[in-house]
Every structure is written in structure tokens, then in C-alpha cells.
Amino acid sequence: MIELSGIRKAFNQGHDNEYWALDGIDLSIEAKKVTALRGPSGSGKTTLLTIVGCLARPTEGRVRLLGEDISGLPERFLTEIRRKRFGFIFQQFNLIKGLSALDNIILPAYPTGRPRRELLERAEELLAGLKLGHRRHAKVEWLSGGEQQRVAICRALINDPELVIADEPTANLDTHLSREFMGILEGLADQGRTILLTSHDPLVVESDVVQRVIDMRDGKLIDEH
Amino acid sequence: MKLWLAKQRYLIDFTLASLARRKTRNLGLLLVYTLLVFMLASVTLYTHALRQEAARVLAASPEVIVQRMVAGRHDLIPPGYMEKIGRIRGVQKMEGRLWGYYYDAVTKANYTFMVPAGNPPAAGEIVVGPALERSRGLAKDNGISFRSYSGKLHTFIVADVLPQASELVSADLVLMSEQNFRAFFDYPVGHYTDIALSVANPQEVRNVAVKLGAALPDARPILRDEVLRTYASIYDWREGIVLALLSAAILAFGILAWEKASGLSAEEKREIGILKAIGWETGDVIKMKFWEGLLISLTAFLAGFVAAYVHVFHFAASLFEPVLKGWAVLYPRFQLTPHIDGLQVATLFFFTVVPYAAAVLVPIWKAAITDPDSVMRS
Ligand SMILES: Nc1ncnc2c1ncn2[C@@H]1O[C@H](COP(=O)(O)OP(=O)(O)OP(=O)(O)O)[C@@H](O)[C@H]1O
Ligand SMILES: [Mg+2]
């Protein structure tokens, strides 16, 4: 689905503190599979996710989505790709405080202009699917960590993305909640979505749900299982 | 088109929600902003209405007033004076006027006693201005006594009260017959306070003044146009003082707006990042913030302007009265004729809304064009 070739990413390029977070990545992410990136802290996992997710551009190299080179596209098209094809689950959940769970979930759909009623119906459906229907009107800051993450998952799914990107999804969860998350992930995989995540958590990378684990170190891919 | 409308509605919905989320801060800002618009609008509405009022009153007054000067002081017009003017060409009508000031110890205020040109009150009757009606509690058919400067008490019956129309000038008026006036002030027979001349052709006014100077070297002609200009400059000057005082407030507001804008909180920056990451376009984010700024500034502008309108035209600008109105002790508490000038509103709008919008949008724009990858960290 996504092919990366010769990806390099520099921070503070041209300054004294220039740092190459990614240093020559060639990777093909297959559709309808669960892929995990693993590696020590600072190895470049998050940076790689931002490039796959079109949140940032590589300094060098090409990104191809369904065979089409998207690394040179203007910002506006990248935004559209993010909105239509990708759903993000951030480590810090990144929900908007002060808004209810439902309002947070439908936020990514605003730019599509889809009717509000349709959006709310879909959001309720997603919340019910994650057993959170009773909390739909609660402000997100009142929710527990696990509940917040489920709201974040619903938000990632509102535009029905093909690829779900999750950065350290279990880092803020206890064992029980992590297992629940893996259950949800399995459900998403069963729906035929492509999933790309990063994790050091053995509970994640050693789970049966994850079909492919890629090891990283110092901005390079070193191993694969 | 429908899609576009739906999008705008979502943006506005979100904007309203985010305004509500930061209630205290936005209310505080709104309050300061409204107050500023209120003050500025009050001053401009008030001085504008005053100028209009003065112009309206003066429009009905004679083109030229002739006073006689003795040792540089205004003196009475002696008998025979008017005959000399009668021969000046261009003068259409001429009349000797009788008026004077009277200090009322009861209300500690000055009244203007005057003999009106056409149908004066009958002997023993007076017509009073609305200010007197209020301060002395007078009504039609009441009797009132004034002690004249010679010490004698004169009693009059109030025949009527003047209408409010041009209260600025007529508020402290007391109209009476010629005999009563002369008797009250011991005014010598055949003498007048000044002379009012009507000049039909406006172009002739200056010529008439020149000829007056030649024929009557001790006369001082006062031209209506000059009075109008003097009024205007007095109001300009007073408006200037108030605006100078207000500029401090404007400055403070500018700093506040800039602070809010450039000090775009970490929370707001984070939100912009999130919105972009989940698929909002840079344009959407800027539009949303634009709606936010527009809502705040329009609300403040409307609220401030309406409040100022009420203040000026229903409460007679009670906050500015002492600074902006005349010197008379007896303030005419008059109702100004409501009047709104399009250009004036536009100017006010430009100087309050545009700087705010600009101050707010620049930093938003800066935050909105950066890559959203930072949301993955922190
Ligand atoms: N904006 C930035 N400016 C400078 N350096 C950066 C920036 N973002 C990331 N880095 C550096 O790039 C390297 C890779 O960071 P990245 O976040 O991708 O690591 P990671 O594998 O996700 O680590 P972790 O497991 O701790 O999340 C790190 O050394 C980090 O300090
Ligand atoms: Mg990371």
C-alpha cells in the first residue's frame, strides 16, 4: 500500500545541531496487515510514522501511496490524504478539551461537510462498538485514560480510513486496558484495515494480532520478523 | 455550494464551542473591547449631534448681528443708530433686539431674558424654557417673581413653556414683552441690546459687514457663518481633549489584543496542530479563527455602539456632559436628535475592528502553516 524508498529525515538541517533521525529507510507496508515498528527510544519510530502519515515530509527519498508518488505534492493534497485515508491514534490521545466525546469524534469530518446527523449516527455507532455509548456527552477531560483512548480510536475511524496509524498505543494503559486495546485492534484488522503502529511493549509486538514486526536502530531498519 | 455552507456552519459551530470553552478570557476581552467602542462611539456621536444641533439653531438666526462697542465692551445701541444702517444696500430686514442676563439666586443659574421678535407675550406674562420649567418647577399659569437688579420684585404669569426642539440654546430662556423687559432692567427708551440684520444674498454678507464698518465705526458686525465656525472649533477642541484621554485606553486595548494574539497559548497551538493532523486544512483553521475574531469584534462593536447610542440620545451623554457641553451653570438637559453618520460608523469600525483582526490573525497564520508533526510528540 505504501512504499518508502531511500527515506532520510534531518532535523535542524544546516545548523550545528543537525541530526539525522532517519537514515536510509526502504520499506513496503502491505495493505490489510498489522505492522509494528520496534526499537529503542530515539531510534526514529515516531519520525517514520509522521512521514508515512504525511504529517511531515522526508528530507530525502520518496513516498508512494498505491503506486503514486506523493512526496512532492502540495500541502493541501497531503491534508486531503490524511483526512480521507489515514486515521491517527496518538500516544497522548490529543483530544480537544472542553468538547464532548461525540464532538471530538466528528471533528475530522468537518472539512468534508457531511451532514451532522449522519456524522453523529456514525459516531454513536463507533462509540457503542467500543462499549462507550454511555459516555458520549461527557467532556473528554472527565474520561479515564482508557476511555479517552477509545474516543481517540473512534475519532480515527470517523472518516473510514484504510490505514490506521498508532504511536505507542499502550504506553499510557495498564495491562488490562492494553489487552482490551489489542482486542479492538484485532477487530480493526478483521475489518480489513491496514494498521501501522510503534511499540516497545511485548504485549503488543508479541501478540498474534501483529503480523509483522520491524526493528529499528539509529534511524535504520535492522531486522524483521 | 451546499457543501461549502455546511463546512462554514461546522467552522462556526466549532468556533462558538471554543469561545465557550475559554469563557472567562473571552468575556474579559469582550468587556474591555465593548467599553472601548462605547467610549469612542459616545464621543463621536455626541459631538456630531451637538454640532448638528448648533447648526440647526443657528440656521434660524439672522445673518448679521450688529453690536456697538464702547471702550472695547459691548454697549447699548443708542436711538438713531438704526436709521444709518437702513441705507446700506443688501440689507433686507432689520430689527433692534432686547435681551439680557439675569442671575437667579434661587437656582444659582443664569437665565436669558429676551423680547422675541414676533408676537411677544402679553404684559405681565412670560414664556420660559424647559430648563426653567424643571429647575423652578414651573408650569403653565403659575406665577413667579424675580427680584430685579434695582431691588424691586416683579411678578409674572407663565403663559407657556417652550418646546424641547432646540433646547441647547433655548433651555434657559425667559421671553417677555418689551415694556416688561424695559421696566425690569430699567432699560432706557429707544435703546437696544443689538441689531439683527437679514441679508438675502449670502454673497452680500461680507460686503454688508464692510459697509457697516465704514458707516458705523463703533459697530461690531457678527456674521452667522463665523459663529458657526467658532462653535465647530469649540466642539472640535473638546472632542480632541476627550479623544486624547481615550487614546490611552486605545493603547491599552491594543496591547491587550496584541498580547492575546502573539501570546497564542500553548493550548491553542496544540489544538491547531491536532486539527491539522486529523485533516483540517490550513485554510480551515485560519477561517475558524477568523470567525472567532469576527464574532468577538462584531459583538463588541455592536454592543458598544448601541450602548453609546443609548447613552448619548437617551441619557444625554451624562458621562461626558461636564466636559463636552457649554459653560452655562444651568445645564440644558436636552434630548439630542438621534443621528447616525455612515462615514463616522465606518471610521469607528475601521479603527477598532481591523487592528484587532490583524493582531489576531497574524500569529494564527504563523501557527497554522507549520507542519503538524509536533502533535506526535510532547
Ligand atoms: N523536532 C525535532 N527536532 C530535533 N530533533 C528531533 C525532533 N524530533 C525528533 N528528534 C530526534 O529524532 C530522534 C528520533 O526521534 P523519534 O521520536 O522518532 O524516536 P522514537 O523512536 O519515537 O523514540 P521513543 O521510543 O522515545 O518515542 C530522537 O533522537 C529525537 O531527539
Ligand atoms: Mg516515539
Side-chain angles (χ1 to χ4, degrees):
Chain A
M1 180 181 183
I2 292 176
E3 284 128 58
L4 306 176
S5 54
I7 296 292
R8 298 184 78 213
K9 175 73 178 178
F11 289 110
N12 309 314
Q13 198 180 19
H15 294 88
D16 302 345
N17 54 350
E18 177 177 297
Y19 182 82
W20 290 88
L22 296 178
D23 196 6
I25 304 267
D26 297 292
L27 174 67
S28 169
I29 296 161
E30 291 143 77
K32 302 179 198 286
K33 271 198 169 179
V34 181
T35 307
L37 300 170
R38 176 170 64 180
S41 187
S43 57
K45 304 182 295 293
T46 300
T47 308
L48 189 56
L49 278 194
T50 64
I51 285 173
V52 173
C54 297
L55 292 168
R57 292 166 196 272
T59 312
E60 287 171 20
R62 310 223 152 273
V63 182
R64 265 187 289 273
L65 173 67
L66 301 170
E68 190 196 349
D69 188 350
I70 58 168
S71 23
L73 289 181
E75 154 84 29
R76 212 154 55 80
F77 291 93
L78 295 183
T79 307
E80 197 180 322
I81 290 171
R82 277 204 300 276
R83 179 171 65 237
K84 286 193 176 153
R85 298 177 180 277
F86 303 160
F88 294 90
I89 301 165
F90 304 102
Q91 184 180 342
Q92 307 293 337
F93 313 140
N94 280 339
L95 298 171
I96 302 237
K97 288 199 193 83
L99 293 184
S100 70
L102 273 182
D103 284 333
N104 262 285
I105 293 171
I106 63 177
L107 220 42
Y110 278 9
T112 65
R114 270 161 66 194
R116 195 186 186 86
R117 195 156 39 83
E118 189 185 311
L119 291 180
L120 286 174
E121 263 166 34
R122 175 79 182 125
E124 298 251 13
E125 210 177 287
L126 288 167
L127 271 176
L130 298 190
K131 302 189 189 69
L132 207 61
H134 60 293
R135 302 294 273 152
R136 60 183 174 280
H137 292 303
K139 294 228 163 80
V140 289
E141 61 267 34
W142 299 341
L143 300 178
S144 72
E147 289 173 331
Q148 287 192 22
Q149 188 183 49
R150 280 182 276 164
V151 172
I153 295 170
C154 292
R155 183 180 68 182
L157 298 177
I158 189 76
N159 285 338
D160 201 16
E162 296 146 64
L163 173 66
V164 174
I165 294 175
D167 193 19
E168 309 276 359
T170 58
N172 288 319
L173 305 179
D174 62 19
T175 311
H176 171 70
L177 286 172
S178 298
R179 288 223 169 81
E180 265 188 20
F181 174 79
M182 290 317 288
I184 295 169
L185 205 64
E186 195 170 359
L188 295 180
D190 289 346
Q191 290 165 9
R193 295 185 210 274
T194 312
I195 293 161
L196 177 64
L197 52 83
T198 70
S199 191
H200 331 261
D201 188 351
L203 198 144
V204 174
V205 288
E206 284 161 21
S207 133
D208 292 340
V209 180
V210 177
Q211 289 144 315
R212 187 178 174 207
V213 177
I214 298 164
D215 281 307
M216 290 184 72
R217 182 174 288 273
D218 301 329
K220 294 190 174 73
L221 307 185
I222 49 166
D223 202 2
E224 193 179 326
H225 306 274
Chain B
M1 187 64 196
K2 221 177 126 197
L3 200 75
W4 184 86
L5 276 179
K7 272 181 70 171
Q8 300 308 308
R9 259 211 51 205
Y10 280 135
L11 288 182
I12 293 174
D13 279 356
F14 184 77
T15 305
L16 288 175
S18 49
L19 282 175
R21 277 184 294 139
R22 285 180 266 270
K23 222 175 286 159
T24 22
R25 202 186 66 160
N26 285 317
L27 277 182
L29 182 74
L30 195 69
L31 202 75
V32 177
Y33 202 155
T34 307
L35 205 68
L36 179 87
V37 175
F38 167 77
M39 306 238 267
L40 283 175
S42 288
V43 174
T44 45
L45 278 176
Y46 189 60
T47 47
H48 192 79
L50 272 185
R51 258 186 235 123
Q52 292 247 320
E53 187 80 1
R56 209 158 59 82
V57 167
L58 284 170
S61 74
E63 283 79 18
V64 184
I65 290 169
V66 183
Q67 292 180 343
R68 181 166 162 255
M69 306 298 285
V70 171
R73 303 280 301 171
H74 178 193
D75 201 16
L76 301 188
I77 305 278
Y81 213 76
M82 294 220 267
E83 282 68 53
K84 292 185 198 160
I85 299 174
R87 281 176 246 127
I88 294 176
R89 270 191 43 194
V91 176
Q92 197 188 32
K93 221 176 83 196
M94 167 176 63
E95 68 198 353
R97 302 196 307 178
L98 286 170
W99 58 271
Y101 296 124
Y102 173 76
Y103 178 73
D104 182 6
V106 179
T107 52
K108 297 192 174 58
N110 274 302
Y111 303 152
T112 306
F113 279 27
M114 189 172 179
V115 178
N119 62 67
E125 292 187 348
I126 54 172
V127 172
V128 298
L132 253 97
E133 178 191 18
R134 279 190 297 269
S135 63
R136 294 286 302 244
L138 291 179
K140 201 163 155 19
D141 297 332
N142 287 169
I144 182 168
S145 300
F146 296 113
R147 187 173 296 280
S148 80
Y149 292 129
S150 61
K152 272 213 317 255
L153 210 57
H154 294 248
T155 304
F156 302 98
I157 301 291
V158 177
D160 208 354
V161 177
L162 289 173
Q164 302 263 333
S166 57
E167 224 187 303
L168 180 54
V169 175
S170 67
D172 61 352
L173 268 188
V174 176
L175 303 180
M176 53 180 60
S177 73
E178 183 169 346
Q179 304 116 274
N180 284 152
F181 184 86
R182 288 190 191 276
F184 190 82
F185 286 113
D186 286 329
Y187 223 81
V189 181
H191 285 66
Y192 289 94
T193 313
D194 53 23
I195 304 168
L197 300 181
S198 318
V199 180
N201 181 352
Q203 252 105 52
E204 289 267 15
V205 173
R206 296 240 150 239
N207 286 337
V208 169
V210 172
K211 285 181 205 158
L212 272 174
L216 303 165
D218 61 346
R220 177 174 66 170
I222 300 166
L223 310 186
R224 186 177 64 190
D225 289 352
E226 278 173 3
V227 177
L228 259 177
R229 263 201 298 283
T230 312
Y231 264 107
S233 66
I234 287 175
Y235 289 138
D236 281 347
W237 177 70
R238 289 173 183 215
E239 185 181 35
I241 290 183
V242 175
L243 285 181
L245 290 176
L246 275 183
S247 58
I250 299 173
L251 200 72
F253 173 73
I255 294 167
L256 183 93
W258 187 251
E259 231 264 321
K260 174 203 149 78
S262 52
L264 196 63
S265 65
E267 180 68 18
E268 265 180 301
K269 273 191 196 143
R270 189 176 146 265
E271 278 185 22
I272 290 176
I274 295 174
L275 291 174
K276 283 198 69 175
I278 62 176
W280 282 43
E281 274 167 34
T282 308
D284 294 333
V285 174
I286 293 176
K287 260 182 249 162
M288 186 262 292
K289 289 289 174 181
F290 172 78
W291 284 121
E292 186 178 313
L294 201 69
L295 271 172
I296 289 187
S297 47
L298 275 186
T299 312
F301 187 81
L302 278 180
F305 196 85
V306 168
Y309 186 92
V310 172
H311 171 221
V312 170
F313 295 119
H314 292 274
F315 293 99
S318 35
L319 293 180
F320 298 144
E321 206 163 53
V323 194
L324 285 173
K325 226 184 289 182
W327 289 266
V329 182
L330 188 72
Y331 282 125
R333 200 184 61 202
F334 59 89
Q335 299 280 302
L336 287 165
T337 323
H339 180 91
I340 294 179
D341 183 56
L343 182 71
Q344 200 187 346
V345 177
T347 312
L348 202 62
F349 187 83
F350 186 82
F351 280 105
T352 51
V353 174
V354 174
Y356 177 77
V360 171
L361 278 184
V362 170
I364 299 281
W365 175 75
K366 271 195 202 151
I369 54 168
T370 49
D371 272 342
D373 62 336
S374 60
V375 294
M376 283 284 214
R377 308 182 194 279
S378 89

Short mmCIF file of all heavy atoms in Angstrom, two decimals, chain A residues 4 10 32 43 45-46 49 52 75 80 83 98 101 105 135 146 155 157 161 171 177 181 186 194 196 201 205 207 220:
data_model
loop_
_atom_site.label_atom_id
_atom_site.label_comp_id
_atom_site.label_asym_id
_atom_site.label_seq_id
_atom_site.Cartn_x
_atom_site.Cartn_y
_atom_site.Cartn_z
N LEU A 4 8.23 3.12 0.81
CA LEU A 4 9.21 4.16 1.12
C LEU A 4 10.52 3.75 0.47
O LEU A 4 10.92 2.59 0.56
CB LEU A 4 9.41 4.27 2.63
CG LEU A 4 8.15 4.47 3.49
CD1 LEU A 4 8.53 4.47 4.96
CD2 LEU A 4 7.47 5.80 3.13
N ALA A 10 16.23 14.79 8.30
CA ALA A 10 17.14 15.56 9.15
C ALA A 10 16.35 16.58 9.95
O ALA A 10 15.39 17.16 9.46
CB ALA A 10 18.16 16.28 8.28
N LYS A 32 -3.93 -4.25 4.45
CA LYS A 32 -4.70 -5.20 5.26
C LYS A 32 -3.82 -6.06 6.16
O LYS A 32 -4.12 -7.22 6.42
CB LYS A 32 -5.56 -6.10 4.36
CG LYS A 32 -6.52 -5.31 3.47
CD LYS A 32 -7.30 -6.26 2.59
CE LYS A 32 -7.93 -5.52 1.41
NZ LYS A 32 -9.08 -4.70 1.75
N SER A 43 15.18 5.84 18.28
CA SER A 43 15.60 5.14 17.07
C SER A 43 14.90 5.67 15.81
O SER A 43 15.27 5.32 14.70
CB SER A 43 15.35 3.64 17.22
OG SER A 43 13.99 3.40 17.50
N LYS A 45 11.26 5.81 15.40
CA LYS A 45 9.96 5.20 15.10
C LYS A 45 8.89 6.26 14.84
O LYS A 45 8.17 6.21 13.82
CB LYS A 45 9.52 4.30 16.27
CG LYS A 45 10.50 3.24 16.64
CD LYS A 45 10.00 2.36 17.75
CE LYS A 45 9.82 3.08 19.09
NZ LYS A 45 11.09 3.56 19.71
N THR A 46 8.77 7.21 15.77
CA THR A 46 7.75 8.25 15.62
C THR A 46 7.99 9.08 14.36
O THR A 46 7.06 9.40 13.62
CB THR A 46 7.73 9.15 16.86
OG1 THR A 46 7.44 8.35 18.00
CG2 THR A 46 6.70 10.25 16.74
N LEU A 49 6.70 7.32 11.44
CA LEU A 49 5.23 7.39 11.39
C LEU A 49 4.76 8.73 10.82
O LEU A 49 3.82 8.78 10.04
CB LEU A 49 4.62 7.22 12.78
CG LEU A 49 4.44 5.82 13.34
CD1 LEU A 49 3.52 5.87 14.54
CD2 LEU A 49 3.88 4.88 12.30
N VAL A 52 5.16 8.51 7.05
CA VAL A 52 4.15 7.65 6.42
C VAL A 52 2.79 8.34 6.48
O VAL A 52 2.01 8.33 5.52
CB VAL A 52 4.08 6.28 7.13
CG1 VAL A 52 2.92 5.47 6.59
CG2 VAL A 52 5.39 5.53 6.95
N GLU A 75 0.95 20.79 0.15
CA GLU A 75 0.34 20.65 1.48
C GLU A 75 -1.14 20.28 1.45
O GLU A 75 -1.62 19.41 2.17
CB GLU A 75 0.60 21.97 2.22
CG GLU A 75 -0.37 22.34 3.31
CD GLU A 75 -0.01 21.68 4.63
OE1 GLU A 75 1.18 21.42 4.84
OE2 GLU A 75 -0.92 21.42 5.43
N GLU A 80 -5.54 16.34 2.47
CA GLU A 80 -6.69 15.58 2.00
C GLU A 80 -6.45 14.08 2.16
O GLU A 80 -7.34 13.33 2.57
CB GLU A 80 -6.95 15.93 0.53
CG GLU A 80 -8.34 15.52 0.08
CD GLU A 80 -8.56 15.87 -1.38
OE1 GLU A 80 -8.09 16.96 -1.80
OE2 GLU A 80 -9.18 15.07 -2.09
N ARG A 83 -6.85 13.14 5.71
CA ARG A 83 -8.25 13.14 6.13
C ARG A 83 -9.01 11.92 5.60
O ARG A 83 -9.75 11.28 6.31
CB ARG A 83 -8.92 14.43 5.67
CG ARG A 83 -10.38 14.52 6.05
CD ARG A 83 -10.93 15.89 5.77
NE ARG A 83 -10.94 16.20 4.37
CZ ARG A 83 -10.34 17.25 3.82
NH1 ARG A 83 -9.67 18.09 4.57
NH2 ARG A 83 -10.40 17.46 2.53
N GLY A 98 -12.70 20.25 26.67
CA GLY A 98 -13.87 21.13 26.71
C GLY A 98 -14.97 20.68 25.76
O GLY A 98 -16.10 21.12 25.87
N ALA A 101 -17.27 13.88 24.03
CA ALA A 101 -16.71 12.76 23.28
C ALA A 101 -17.22 12.78 21.85
O ALA A 101 -16.44 12.67 20.89
CB ALA A 101 -17.09 11.46 23.98
N ILE A 105 -15.16 13.24 18.29
CA ILE A 105 -15.11 12.17 17.29
C ILE A 105 -15.43 12.70 15.89
O ILE A 105 -14.80 12.31 14.90
CB ILE A 105 -16.08 11.04 17.68
CG1 ILE A 105 -15.57 10.36 18.96
CG2 ILE A 105 -16.20 10.02 16.56
CD1 ILE A 105 -16.55 9.39 19.55
N ARG A 135 -21.01 7.28 27.63
CA ARG A 135 -20.17 8.45 27.94
C ARG A 135 -20.14 9.47 26.81
O ARG A 135 -19.30 10.36 26.79
CB ARG A 135 -18.72 8.00 28.24
CG ARG A 135 -18.60 7.02 29.36
CD ARG A 135 -18.98 7.64 30.69
NE ARG A 135 -17.87 8.31 31.33
CZ ARG A 135 -18.01 9.35 32.16
NH1 ARG A 135 -19.21 9.83 32.40
NH2 ARG A 135 -16.97 9.90 32.72
N GLY A 146 -8.21 5.07 29.58
CA GLY A 146 -8.69 4.05 28.64
C GLY A 146 -9.86 4.56 27.82
O GLY A 146 -9.94 4.33 26.60
N ARG A 155 -12.45 8.61 16.86
CA ARG A 155 -12.15 9.77 16.02
C ARG A 155 -11.31 9.36 14.82
O ARG A 155 -11.52 9.84 13.71
CB ARG A 155 -11.40 10.83 16.85
CG ARG A 155 -11.12 12.10 16.05
CD ARG A 155 -10.38 13.13 16.87
NE ARG A 155 -9.03 12.69 17.18
CZ ARG A 155 -8.17 13.39 17.92
NH1 ARG A 155 -8.53 14.55 18.44
NH2 ARG A 155 -6.96 12.93 18.17
N LEU A 157 -11.53 6.73 13.27
CA LEU A 157 -12.30 5.90 12.33
C LEU A 157 -13.45 6.64 11.66
O LEU A 157 -14.10 6.10 10.78
CB LEU A 157 -12.86 4.68 13.07
CG LEU A 157 -11.80 3.73 13.64
CD1 LEU A 157 -12.48 2.60 14.40
CD2 LEU A 157 -10.91 3.18 12.53
N PRO A 161 -11.01 5.31 7.45
CA PRO A 161 -9.70 5.29 6.78
C PRO A 161 -9.26 3.86 6.41
O PRO A 161 -9.69 2.89 7.04
CB PRO A 161 -8.77 5.87 7.84
CG PRO A 161 -9.40 5.44 9.12
CD PRO A 161 -10.88 5.46 8.91
N ALA A 171 1.22 2.79 25.72
CA ALA A 171 2.16 3.39 26.67
C ALA A 171 1.47 3.98 27.89
O ALA A 171 2.03 4.02 28.97
CB ALA A 171 3.00 4.45 25.97
N LEU A 177 -6.07 -2.84 30.26
CA LEU A 177 -6.52 -1.96 29.17
C LEU A 177 -5.74 -2.23 27.89
O LEU A 177 -6.28 -2.16 26.79
CB LEU A 177 -6.37 -0.50 29.58
CG LEU A 177 -7.41 0.01 30.59
CD1 LEU A 177 -7.05 1.40 31.07
CD2 LEU A 177 -8.80 -0.01 29.97
N PHE A 181 -7.15 -3.09 24.29
CA PHE A 181 -6.77 -2.37 23.07
C PHE A 181 -6.43 -3.36 21.96
O PHE A 181 -6.83 -3.20 20.81
CB PHE A 181 -5.60 -1.42 23.33
CG PHE A 181 -5.09 -0.79 22.06
CD1 PHE A 181 -5.77 0.29 21.51
CD2 PHE A 181 -3.97 -1.30 21.40
CE1 PHE A 181 -5.33 0.86 20.31
CE2 PHE A 181 -3.54 -0.73 20.21
CZ PHE A 181 -4.22 0.34 19.67
N GLU A 186 -7.58 -6.02 16.83
CA GLU A 186 -7.92 -7.23 16.08
C GLU A 186 -9.20 -7.00 15.26
O GLU A 186 -9.28 -7.37 14.09
CB GLU A 186 -8.11 -8.41 17.04
CG GLU A 186 -8.10 -9.74 16.35
CD GLU A 186 -8.05 -10.90 17.35
OE1 GLU A 186 -8.01 -10.64 18.59
OE2 GLU A 186 -8.06 -12.05 16.90
N THR A 194 -5.54 -1.56 7.15
CA THR A 194 -4.11 -1.67 7.31
C THR A 194 -3.75 -0.94 8.60
O THR A 194 -4.30 0.12 8.88
CB THR A 194 -3.40 -0.99 6.13
OG1 THR A 194 -4.00 -1.44 4.92
CG2 THR A 194 -1.92 -1.27 6.12
N LEU A 196 -0.53 0.39 11.13
CA LEU A 196 0.89 0.60 11.37
C LEU A 196 1.04 1.21 12.75
O LEU A 196 0.42 2.23 13.05
CB LEU A 196 1.46 1.55 10.30
CG LEU A 196 2.94 1.92 10.46
CD1 LEU A 196 3.83 0.69 10.30
CD2 LEU A 196 3.34 2.99 9.45
N ASP A 201 6.27 -2.36 23.74
CA ASP A 201 5.52 -3.21 24.67
C ASP A 201 5.43 -4.65 24.14
O ASP A 201 4.85 -4.90 23.09
CB ASP A 201 4.11 -2.60 24.80
CG ASP A 201 3.30 -3.28 25.88
OD1 ASP A 201 3.77 -4.32 26.39
OD2 ASP A 201 2.22 -2.79 26.19
N VAL A 205 3.93 -6.25 20.58
CA VAL A 205 4.70 -6.79 19.47
C VAL A 205 4.71 -8.31 19.44
O VAL A 205 4.95 -8.91 18.39
CB VAL A 205 6.14 -6.24 19.46
CG1 VAL A 205 6.14 -4.78 19.04
CG2 VAL A 205 6.80 -6.41 20.80
N SER A 207 2.09 -10.08 20.28
CA SER A 207 0.72 -10.56 20.15
C SER A 207 0.50 -11.19 18.77
O SER A 207 1.21 -10.89 17.80
CB SER A 207 -0.25 -9.40 20.36
OG SER A 207 -1.23 -9.38 19.37
N LYS A 220 17.66 3.44 11.24
CA LYS A 220 17.73 2.43 10.16
C LYS A 220 16.88 1.23 10.54
O LYS A 220 16.66 0.96 11.72
CB LYS A 220 19.18 1.97 9.96
CG LYS A 220 20.12 3.06 9.43
CD LYS A 220 21.45 2.41 9.04
CE LYS A 220 22.40 3.39 8.38
NZ LYS A 220 23.02 4.38 9.29
#
